[in-house]
Amino acid sequence: MLPVLTPLDLPETPARPQAMPALGHRFADRRDAGRQLAGQLGAYAHRDDVTVLALPRGGVPVAAEIARALGAPLDVLVVRKLGLPGQPEYAMGAIASGDVRVLNTQVIQQLAISFPAIDIVTRAELRELHRREKLYRGDRPMPPIAGRQIILVDDGMATGASMRAGVHALRDLHPARIVVAVPVSAAQTCHLLAQDADEVVCGHTPERFRSVGQWYETFDQTTDDEVRRLLAASGELATAGRE
């Protein structure tokens, strides 16, 4: 069984989230959001110890723009939401590469979800997680994480379960610093992640937050082909920069 991380598993000294000024309009699309968010990450530009990691699939177009602006390599950290049995759109937790599982114990207790039921969902999502790792990365290993400044990116955060699973997965790989960066987030979630990550950059924390998609003019589903194309393009830029 995968380890369980609850909201009580927090570091003793929480970080403080950073925020951009409130936006007067929605993002045009994920790439527009990435370009705007990159402006808040200038301290990490053109350093040789920075890696940008995206949560696929929606985080990849955002992260691609950030990686391009910072001159940093881009890769993915695969995370899968654990949906409620019979209601998969509602998250009761998430899993990430490295056999990390984060559960929302409040939801599980309120709805009396049994651990056998949770394990059934977990096994199914693990199969999909491994499929996506193979699809996006092939036989290429995870990039070096130890001692590096890792910027972990998604297109937004509602509950933050997926991002939190990603942060805990990275902790086991001993980075020097984990920076969570999202264009838009529920304010409470942004503050919650500040207790897990070393730094949190939430571009926009609207008072009336219903969903991530409401803050984008275009919020089409990112395809696997688009993820692979963006990763390949980033790799080509990195190679050209070293020549």
Side-chain angles (χ1 to χ4, degrees), residues 7 15 17 104 106 157-161 164 184-196 200 202 204-209:
N104 187 326
Q106 182 178 4
M157 295 191 300
T159 67
R164 189 159 180 252
V184 64
S185 171
Q188 183 178 4
T189 301
C190 187
H191 285 285
L192 175 64
L193 261 296
Q195 299 175 80
D196 290 279
V200 179
C202 293
H204 186 26
T205 53
E207 293 182 6
R208 298 181 179 179
F209 185 96

Side-chain angles (χ1 to χ4, degrees), residues 24 53 68 79 103 111 130-132 167 172 193 228:
L53 293 181
R68 181 180 294 107
V79 175
L103 296 179
L111 299 179
H130 294 151
R131 184 194 73 83
R132 290 197 179 194
V167 170
D172 289 341
L193 261 296
R228 288 185 292 181

Side-chain angles (χ1 to χ4, degrees), residues 4 8 11 52 54 59 68 71 84 86 93 103 110 141-142 144 150-151 153 159 163 184 211 224 236 241:
V4 176
L8 297 178
V52 178
R68 181 180 294 107
L84 290 172
L103 296 179
Q110 286 178 346
M142 274 282 289
I150 304 299
I151 302 177
V153 180
T159 67
M163 182 64 78
V184 64
S211 68
D224 288 336
E236 291 169 2

